[in-house]
């Protein structure tokens, strides 16, 4: 074998080795960091470091999943205050993307109990004040709402919730549960209305195709709204905004 032929073999091998090394180092970093988080401890204060590490993991997954992000309305986000983020929900990637885009603030999501069993992730969820909720359990639902109110009022984190209550299997927008808006009503905080488009295609396209995902920040409903409107009216307004935006995205695709 000539030196030239050997060089053509060595260079790709080195590049592949470097690529694998970077991935291994990143995963070792997240594993080690996650092990420093106790699943039994009740944390009182948010941590910029752990939030950074968690967002870094989300950004890594977005890159590996070959997601191309198109974001609009970012200038509307009230980064200087805590808020309730409401959005449609059709993929497990929805909150990954939202946290990565809104990395300047920390968001704790209301999430189903199964997600708190995910290796590595459950530690970061615990440290990030994620809120468990059992579907169809009114007592658990009330506890989740009260916890969300407390997190915002105590200025610990913002809260994210999907008012549909579950992921849409076909990407179609489902009815909203107005109770989700109680968090903002009682905490007297802004409501950030977000529309996600295309996330339902990520799992179908991976690994062969990139997926174009739209994250549109449609409106920020100010706390003054609660002086004249209730959760049902605000829920309907947010639902209609998202439905209209989804219709525009479908028409453009």
């Amino acid at each position: 074998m000539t030196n030239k032929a050997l060089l053509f073999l060595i260079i790709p091998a080195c590049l592949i080795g470097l690529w694998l090394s970077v991935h291994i180092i990143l995963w070792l970093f997240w594993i080690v960091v996650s092990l420093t988080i106790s699943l039994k401890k009740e944390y009182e204060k948010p941590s910029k470091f752990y939030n950074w590490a968690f967002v870094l993991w989300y950004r890594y997954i977005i890159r590996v999943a070959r997601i191309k992000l198109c974001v609009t309305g970012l200038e509307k986000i009230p980064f200087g205050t805590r808020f309730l983020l409401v959005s449609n929900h059709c993929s497990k990637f929805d909150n990954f993307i939202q946290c990565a885009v809104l990395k300047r603030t920390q968001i704790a999501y209301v999430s189903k109990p199964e997600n708190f069993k995910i290796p590595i992730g459950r530690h970061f969820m615990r440290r990030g004040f994620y809120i468990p909720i059992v579907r169809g359990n009114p007592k658990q639902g009330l506890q989740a709402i009260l916890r969300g109110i407390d997190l915002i009022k105590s200025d610990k984190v913002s809260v994210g919730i999907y008012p549909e209550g579950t992921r849409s299997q076909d990407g179609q927008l489902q009815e909203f549960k107005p109770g989700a808006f109680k968090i903002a009503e009682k905490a007297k905080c802004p409501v950030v209305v977000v529309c996600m488009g295309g996330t339902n295609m990520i799992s179908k396209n991976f690994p062969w195709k990139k997926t174009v995902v739209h994250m549109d920040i449609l409106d920020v409903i100010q706390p003054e709204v609660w002086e004249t409107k209730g959760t049902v009216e605000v829920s309907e307004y947010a639902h209609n905004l998202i439905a209209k935006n989804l219709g525009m995205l479908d028409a453009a695709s």
Side-chain angles (χ1 to χ4, degrees):
M1 183 178 291
T2 65
N3 289 338
K4 188 175 182 180
L6 186 62
L7 188 63
F8 275 116
L9 290 175
I10 291 174
I11 292 176
C14 290
L15 291 174
I16 291 171
L18 179 61
W19 182 85
L20 286 173
S21 297
V22 169
H23 285 272
I24 291 170
I25 290 169
L26 283 171
W27 279 104
L28 285 174
F29 167 74
W30 286 310
I31 290 170
V32 171
V33 172
S34 71
L35 292 176
T36 66
I37 302 170
S38 173
L39 295 176
K40 297 179 180 180
K41 183 177 177 179
E42 289 291 339
Y43 292 94
E44 295 299 324
K45 296 180 180 180
S47 165
K48 290 184 178 180
F49 170 74
Y50 286 109
N51 184 59
W52 170 81
F54 203 12
V55 170
L56 181 65
W57 189 28
Y58 283 154
R59 294 174 67 187
Y60 168 84
I61 292 172
I62 289 169
R63 184 174 289 274
V64 170
R66 304 188 67 194
I67 298 169
K68 180 181 178 181
L69 280 177
C70 300
V71 181
T72 65
L74 188 59
E75 71 282 355
K76 299 175 184 176
I77 298 293
F79 284 112
T81 187
R82 300 302 179 188
F83 55 81
L84 176 71
L85 184 149
V86 297
S87 166
N88 59 316
H89 190 32
C90 50
S91 169
K92 59 188 176 183
F93 290 95
D94 289 328
N95 80 292
F96 294 12
I97 294 166
Q98 289 163 1
C99 284
V101 171
L102 304 178
K103 59 186 177 181
R104 285 173 54 192
T105 191
Q106 185 171 343
I107 305 174
Y109 283 81
V110 178
S111 187
K112 60 185 179 182
E114 300 94 289
N115 290 337
F116 289 83
K117 299 177 182 179
I118 298 172
I120 304 176
R122 60 180 178 168
H123 292 267
F124 285 105
M125 291 170 70
R126 179 76 173 185
R127 190 64 183 85
F129 301 106
Y130 276 50
I131 306 167
I133 187 170
V134 178
R135 298 189 194 108
N137 187 321
K139 185 178 179 180
Q140 269 275 334
L142 177 59
Q143 289 176 348
I145 289 171
L146 293 175
R147 176 61 171 161
I149 294 167
D150 178 63
L151 288 174
I152 292 174
K153 291 184 74 173
S154 60
D155 195 30
K156 290 181 179 177
V157 293
S158 293
V159 173
I161 192 168
Y162 299 110
E164 292 167 281
T166 186
R167 287 204 304 255
S168 171
Q169 299 300 315
D170 57 6
Q172 298 298 309
L173 186 63
Q174 304 173 93
E175 290 300 315
F176 279 5
K177 293 175 172 56
F181 293 80
K182 280 287 183 185
I183 295 174
E185 181 187 33
K186 299 301 182 184
K188 297 293 187 292
C189 70
V191 179
V192 175
V193 183
V194 175
C195 178
M196 303 299 296
T199 53
N200 59 308
M201 296 301 297
I202 297 170
S203 297
K204 297 176 183 178
N205 290 341
F206 181 80
W208 311 114
K209 292 172 60 179
K210 289 184 179 180
T211 303
V212 177
V213 168
H214 293 266
M215 177 175 166
D216 299 316
I217 295 124
L218 304 178
D219 195 11
V220 177
I221 305 170
Q222 298 302 326
E224 291 76 19
V225 71
W226 304 115
E227 296 174 7
T228 57
K229 298 184 185 300
T231 55
V232 173
E233 292 171 288
V234 175
S235 175
E236 288 176 351
Y237 170 73
H239 185 277
N240 291 338
L241 269 184
I242 294 172
K244 181 179 179 181
N245 197 72
L246 287 172
M248 292 169 62
L249 290 176
D250 289 341
S253 61

